[in-house]
Amino acid sequence: MLYSIVSEDYKSLLALAGILFAFAATVIGTAKLSGFLPRDAGREYAHDGLKSAGKPKGAGIIFVLAFVAAALLFSPLDAEIIIYLLLIVIGMMTGYLDDASKTPWGQVRKGVLDLCVAVLTVMNYLKYNPSRIEIAFLHQWIDVPRGLFAVLGVILVWVSVNVTNCADGVDGLSGTLAAISLMTVYLVDRILGAGEDFSFLILLFGACILGYLWHNANPSRLLMGDAGSRAMGLFISMAVLKTGRPFLYIPVALVLILDGGLGLLKLTLLHFRIHILTKVRTPLHDHVRKKWGWSNTQTVFRYAIIQILLAVAVVYGISM
């Protein structure tokens, strides 16, 4: 809205105002509205899960709506981006309705809803972008059949939503890792000149995550719930797709993938009666706290350090 009426001379100031607005709207909105959020019942199966009992959850609805408001006010908009914003709200709402439900939704129901959002996301991407991908670090472009690209893209989006959701279990962990992953994608965009309009959305989303972390740092005052984790995972996948280098998702979100994805892999193997990883507690953040004795703060810092090192390697490799 404001982007279309502000002259080019003031676009940089507008961008700064947008980032500050996104952060402030999240911090203030969370402080003022947290009393209206549903309360967490605690998770007996999670390490220290009962410590979350009674805390407001579903705070993702606040920072996602703050992000959408900031995007509509301060970002360049086109049909593709508007549809992405709508899909993020839909993804957030499916999570929030689960957060607010007295009876938690089943995994099948949530998985199907995630699949529907993933399909719509990839359909939107393919409508406005070619099905060409670059193999990261090799600088080789490959034309992928649109049907194959659609299948692989849906897998990417669905996995990103679910591993980010599964990694949400320690104060500040998933938000910190998501912020690092998104800033890595932003730097890749700047180096390669990819997804220029979308890259500003990354900064806005990152500012909203930081605004949420203002209240969620250990010990947290509230929890993002599925409303936040599902929206974060969805946005990360969108950001990676817009680089034109979808395989970058693996290094830029590797800690999220391992932490949240190991549990999904374990459940899948057990479904086929393959009993491996039985001694590994999942999500992995429960294993390192229960088995290795890491504190919550150590878990967040050490996970973040690993992902930052991976980010440095990615940025260096892309710039070569």
Side-chain angles (χ1 to χ4, degrees), residues 224-276:
M224 71 167 66
D226 282 11
S229 59
R230 281 184 147 71
M232 285 196 313
L234 178 59
F235 188 79
I236 290 171
S237 67
M238 291 175 177
V240 171
L241 280 173
K242 288 297 290 181
T243 67
R245 298 155 181 86
F247 290 108
L248 269 180
Y249 174 70
I250 296 173
V252 303
L254 185 59
V255 177
L256 282 170
I257 295 169
L258 293 176
D259 187 69
L262 201 60
L264 296 175
L265 176 61
K266 184 177 177 180
L267 287 174
T268 303
L269 292 175
L270 287 175
H271 180 74
F272 292 101
R273 302 187 184 279
I274 301 174
H275 297 276
I276 62 174

Side-chain angles (χ1 to χ4, degrees), residues 83-309:
I83 294 172
Y84 285 139
L85 295 177
L86 179 60
L87 288 170
I88 290 168
V89 171
I90 292 172
M92 175 272 292
M93 283 304 302
T94 63
Y96 181 76
L97 292 174
D98 181 27
D99 293 332
S101 175
K102 292 183 179 180
T103 304
W105 291 5
Q107 295 300 322
V108 173
R109 183 179 185 182
K110 291 189 287 187
V112 170
L113 289 171
D114 294 338
L115 181 61
C116 292
V117 173
V119 169
L120 292 173
T121 299
V122 175
M123 286 174 61
N124 187 49
Y125 176 84
L126 286 174
K127 182 176 181 180
Y128 297 100
N129 302 274
S131 59
R132 297 183 71 220
I133 64 172
E134 184 185 39
I135 305 300
F137 311 116
L138 298 180
H139 305 293
Q140 295 181 352
W141 287 93
I142 299 175
D143 289 313
V144 180
R146 292 177 71 82
L148 177 60
F149 187 100
V151 171
L152 296 176
V154 168
I155 292 172
L156 166 62
V157 177
W158 190 91
V159 166
S160 182
V161 169
N162 282 276
V163 300
T164 306
N165 176 247
C166 291
D168 181 30
V170 181
D171 291 346
L173 179 62
S174 60
T176 299
L177 292 176
I180 295 170
S181 296
L182 287 173
M183 290 308 103
T184 307
V185 177
Y186 175 80
L187 290 174
V188 169
D189 281 349
R190 295 297 85 209
I191 293 169
L192 300 175
E196 220 168 291
D197 289 345
F198 196 91
S199 63
F200 180 61
L201 293 181
I202 296 175
L203 294 181
L204 293 180
F205 202 97
C208 290
I209 292 176
L210 294 178
Y212 162 75
L213 289 173
W214 186 270
H215 299 285
N216 185 246
N218 186 41
S220 64
R221 288 178 50 193
L222 76 174
L223 310 170
M224 71 167 66
D226 282 11
S229 59
R230 281 184 147 71
M232 285 196 313
L234 178 59
F235 188 79
I236 290 171
S237 67
M238 291 175 177
V240 171
L241 280 173
K242 288 297 290 181
T243 67
R245 298 155 181 86
F247 290 108
L248 269 180
Y249 174 70
I250 296 173
V252 303
L254 185 59
V255 177
L256 282 170
I257 295 169
L258 293 176
D259 187 69
L262 201 60
L264 296 175
L265 176 61
K266 184 177 177 180
L267 287 174
T268 303
L269 292 175
L270 287 175
H271 180 74
F272 292 101
R273 302 187 184 279
I274 301 174
H275 297 276
I276 62 174
L277 301 174
T278 54
K279 294 184 178 181
V280 178
R281 190 183 179 107
T282 57
L284 203 56
H285 58 250
D286 279 352
H287 184 88
V288 299
R289 291 185 297 161
K290 178 73 172 179
K291 302 293 186 180
W292 296 358
W294 292 10
S295 68
N296 287 355
T297 302
Q298 286 174 324
T299 302
V300 174
F301 267 81
R302 288 171 178 173
Y303 274 34
I305 288 168
I306 295 169
Q307 191 56 63
I308 289 170
L309 289 173

